[in-house]
Amino acid sequence: MKMHLRLAAAAVAMLASSPTFAAEKQAYLPPEKAAAVLADGLPWLANAPDGKTLKVTLNKDGTGSIRGPLPFTLSLTWSIKGDTMCILGKMGTRCLRFREAPGGLQGWDGDKPDLKFSR
């Protein structure tokens, strides 16, 4: 009996320390707080799930720019809609919720990790 309790406790400890399980327990930031962090006018590296790295700059006034694999910079706008921060550009719209991550913020599209902003 004592051995089963120890194994169960060890399994719970391992699960709780895994990044996915820990992320599920972490609350999303209010979109206003995420916007205050990201929209500081300085460039962020945004890592996409497909491995591409983008350079994103968001300004407090709801404008910004994005530079990615293509050799030119595109303008964008951003706004808060409900519990998400939406980034709108010529390549489409992404409405994300954010959680704190080492060095920045991790964006989530539903229950899937999306753009990770870091410096």
Side-chain angles (χ1 to χ4, degrees):
M1 178 76 167
K2 288 182 183 181
M3 181 59 98
H4 292 293
L5 289 175
R6 285 186 205 155
L7 286 173
V12 168
M14 285 190 309
L15 275 176
S17 67
S18 78
T20 303
F21 187 81
E24 289 175 6
K25 293 292 184 187
Q26 183 182 3
Y28 291 106
L29 295 173
E32 297 82 6
K33 184 172 181 180
V37 171
L38 295 173
D40 62 0
L42 300 174
W44 290 88
L45 291 179
N47 295 316
D50 63 4
K52 291 179 185 160
T53 299
L54 310 168
K55 189 175 185 180
V56 178
T57 302
L58 302 174
N59 303 310
K60 291 182 190 303
D61 67 359
T63 63
S65 64
I66 187 168
R67 185 178 181 104
L70 300 175
F72 50 87
T73 301
L74 296 172
S75 296
L76 59 83
T77 60
W78 66 269
S79 62
I80 294 173
K81 293 191 178 172
D83 66 344
T84 64
M85 181 178 173
C86 297
I87 301 171
L88 301 88
K90 291 182 181 179
M91 303 301 283
T93 301
R94 284 202 168 147
C95 292
L96 304 172
R97 294 180 295 162
F98 290 91
R99 290 182 174 144
E100 292 179 349
L105 298 178
Q106 173 68 57
W108 291 80
D109 181 9
D111 61 349
K112 292 186 236 174
D114 202 287
L115 295 173
K116 180 180 180 187
F117 289 81
S118 61
R119 289 202 172 121

